[in-house]
Amino acid sequence: MIRAVVAVAAALLLAFIIIPLAGLVLHLAPRDIVSALQTPAAQSALCLSLLTTVIALAITLTLGTPLAYILARAAFRGRSIVDAIVDLPIVVPPAVAGLALLLVFGRTGTFAPVLARLGIQLSFTTAAVVMAQVFVSSPFYVRAARAGFLNIDRTLESASATLGMGPLRTFYFVTVPLAAPALLGGAVLCWARALGEFGATIMFAGNLLGVSQTLPLAVYLNLEGGSMPVAIALSVIMIAFSAAVVIVVRLFERR
Amino acid sequence: MLHIDVGLQMRDFTFAASTEVPSGVTVVVGPSGAGKSTLLRIIAGLLRPDSGSIVLDGRVLSDHRTFVPPYQRDIGLVFQEYALFPHLSVGRNVAYGLRARNVPARERGARVQAALDRLEVGSLANEHVGELSGGQRQRVALARALVIEPKALLLDEPLSALDPQTRGRVRSELASILSDIHIPTLLVTHDEADRAAFPQRVLLIEHGRLISGAQHG
């Protein structure tokens, strides 16, 4: 009896996840999805999303790898606080993150005088899209990378040092290859979160075609007043990306 | 000649060692936690002593002004569990120190093969380290430490990772290999049988103190 209840409860939740996604994917015939994706709005959103997420990922890898390494290796006062700060964007609502970015980097924000003097405008630009994506997605990479670095046997790094490799070359030849599954898994998750970013982007970067209208924003706009088939086709693309991410992350975890 | 005269405040005890290690094997015997690995880590540069000096063949590696980092010391260290790089083949493990010294690829290949042949594991160059037996791992680790032509060799409990059946055989093989190496070589162990296999020079270490008086000529 208890087994049956447990099985039914599990099946219900599973069905609740599968049915809406399957309904969305099966709503349009493949032919209609292809033709909806060929509209200029869809193409623009797709290109912008790919461009901004790749730049956001590159920034996160460049800045997040040293941060993850410091969190895994360095002993300093306040490390747990830094740790918590890194995790904060995961739990802060994206709209709040967008508002925070706007208040600091926006046209009337804290850094407005400095940015104006340099002739830089960030809010409602493609740069703002990238900033919003880095803000919400970087913790996924930093967390995974930190765990990857923590799991490495430090003796191997010591062995590298006694064999003549300095700290940077040891990092490149030993630490990174050994942490690679964690780093790649974290990077894929980070990219997927950036791709799905909506709330912070619409607050800080707006919803301008070709400038800040990424895939999730295009889905929203087309659902509101544009073309429903375009909204559905773009959603199907994002589900396909998400499924690919889940599979890739699982493959890395198995290694 | 390796001259050691160092002190280091550890959490549980004060580590102090003062001795001179000539060419050939010197065995350091002591119970677990006595400071054997600490001694090797200080000599290799993985731990910085609070005071004293380390001088190898006239070159100051560590004193109150100088601290040569481990990657510039030219000291081979064979770790207790061998610390072979799991993502590299046997050949690439052995080539690692030569790569660090920017030895050209062709010369590197020849020296790696010669080092593996010398330790009778020449056929394993392309094997993955995960596929090696305990005795083979030890030989590969030794080849990796020796191929860089170090000025001193340190072995941290080189037999403790082996099962009791193979330990005796590997011990006599190791004694034979080390008898051909003419650099200061420190082998630390807690096993009295190792002491008997390497009777040339024996030092005792207890509670972080190296007792030079126990050495035999």
Side-chain angles (χ1 to χ4, degrees):
Chain A
M1 180 62 188
I2 292 172
R3 269 190 187 185
V5 171
V6 170
V8 168
L12 269 175
L13 186 58
L14 207 56
F16 182 68
I17 294 168
I18 292 170
I19 290 169
L21 293 178
L24 181 62
V25 171
L26 299 173
H27 194 84
L28 286 182
R31 192 184 47 208
D32 297 331
I33 291 176
V34 172
S35 65
L37 287 177
Q38 281 164 353
T39 59
Q43 298 257 315
S44 163
L46 202 54
C47 288
L48 187 69
S49 269
L50 289 177
L51 176 74
T52 53
T53 52
V54 166
I55 296 171
L57 181 60
I59 292 171
T60 300
L61 294 184
T62 309
L63 304 179
T65 307
L67 178 57
Y69 190 78
I70 289 168
L71 286 172
R73 291 295 155 79
F76 58 94
R77 269 179 77 170
R79 189 173 64 176
S80 55
I81 295 169
V82 176
D83 230 16
I85 291 170
V86 167
D87 286 351
L88 211 53
I90 294 176
V91 288
V92 165
V96 174
L99 182 62
L101 288 169
L102 194 65
L103 288 177
V104 174
F105 298 108
R107 252 176 259 177
T108 55
T110 317
F111 291 132
V114 180
L115 292 171
R117 209 172 304 145
L118 296 170
I120 297 170
Q121 192 201 318
L122 291 173
S123 55
F124 306 105
T125 63
T126 304
V129 175
V130 173
M131 288 171 74
Q133 289 171 342
V134 170
F135 190 92
V136 299
S137 69
S138 58
F140 290 88
Y141 173 74
V142 175
R143 279 168 68 108
R146 184 192 54 183
F149 292 141
L150 274 173
N151 280 337
I152 293 174
D153 178 359
R154 300 284 300 272
T155 314
L156 296 171
E157 292 172 327
S158 296
S160 171
T162 63
L163 290 166
M165 292 285 190
L168 261 180
R169 292 173 88 193
T170 292
F171 183 74
Y172 182 75
F173 287 118
V174 173
T175 313
V176 169
L178 290 176
L183 300 181
L184 291 172
V188 170
L189 269 180
C190 167
W191 176 78
R193 177 63 190 89
L195 188 74
E197 166 39 38
F198 177 84
T201 309
I202 203 164
M203 295 287 283
F204 184 42
N207 194 353
L208 310 167
L209 182 70
V211 175
S212 59
Q213 195 176 102
T214 55
L215 282 173
L217 272 69
V219 169
Y220 173 70
L221 193 82
N222 280 288
L223 185 73
E224 283 282 284
S227 156
M228 190 63 167
V230 170
I232 293 172
L234 291 177
S235 302
V236 170
I237 289 286
M238 290 179 68
I239 290 173
F241 281 146
S242 307
V245 164
V246 170
I247 292 167
V248 169
V249 169
R250 287 289 154 91
L251 287 177
F252 285 133
E253 281 174 354
R254 220 180 276 174
R255 285 188 60 185
Chain B
M1 178 72 82
L2 174 64
H3 169 90
I4 308 155
D5 183 7
V6 290
L8 176 63
Q9 185 58 51
M10 305 291 285
R11 200 167 47 184
D12 302 329
F13 55 78
T14 303
F15 179 86
S18 178
T19 189
E20 290 199 330
V21 184
S23 289
V25 180
T26 298
V27 176
V28 180
V29 187
S32 295
K36 302 189 297 294
S37 293
T38 303
L39 173 68
L40 297 193
R41 290 176 68 81
I42 288 175
I43 298 168
L46 297 170
L47 268 180
R48 190 171 187 156
D50 296 330
S51 60
S53 64
I54 300 169
V55 181
L56 176 59
D57 293 343
R59 180 184 176 211
V60 176
L61 299 180
S62 175
D63 65 11
H64 63 286
R65 278 184 312 192
T66 313
F67 182 76
V68 177
Y71 51 92
Q72 290 174 350
R73 289 201 174 194
D74 282 328
I75 292 178
L77 173 54
V78 176
F79 288 81
Q80 191 169 3
E81 305 283 341
Y82 311 130
L84 296 177
F85 303 122
H87 59 299
L88 300 179
S89 67
V90 166
R92 283 178 175 268
N93 260 279
V94 178
Y96 193 87
L98 298 176
R99 215 166 148 188
R101 286 160 180 76
N102 299 318
V103 174
R106 185 178 290 181
E107 186 190 336
R108 210 158 63 203
R111 283 174 66 178
V112 166
Q113 196 54 51
L116 288 171
D117 287 342
R118 180 180 176 191
L119 289 154
E120 296 172 8
V121 282
S123 60
L124 302 177
N126 295 318
E127 296 289 318
H128 195 268
V129 294
E131 288 154 12
L132 305 180
S133 69
Q136 288 171 331
R137 293 172 80 84
Q138 190 207 57
R139 282 166 179 261
V140 172
L142 204 50
R144 187 177 70 172
L146 290 174
V147 77
I148 58 171
E149 296 174 355
K151 298 203 166 47
L153 179 65
L154 311 172
L155 300 109
D156 192 359
E157 302 265 8
L159 302 160
S160 68
L162 304 173
D163 59 73
Q165 283 86 22
T166 53
R167 197 175 296 161
R169 177 176 54 80
V170 175
R171 181 182 291 119
S172 53
E173 288 170 359
L174 182 65
S176 151
I177 293 163
L178 294 182
S179 67
D180 286 340
I181 296 167
H182 305 293
I183 52 174
T185 300
L186 268 181
L187 185 155
V188 306
T189 180
H190 69 280
D191 191 340
E192 286 293 323
D194 294 343
R195 177 180 177 163
F198 304 96
Q200 298 91 334
R201 262 184 109 243
V202 179
L203 302 174
L204 296 180
I205 191 164
E206 270 175 3
H207 306 299
R209 291 193 180 271
L210 192 69
I211 303 160
S212 297
Q215 72 186 47
H216 304 287

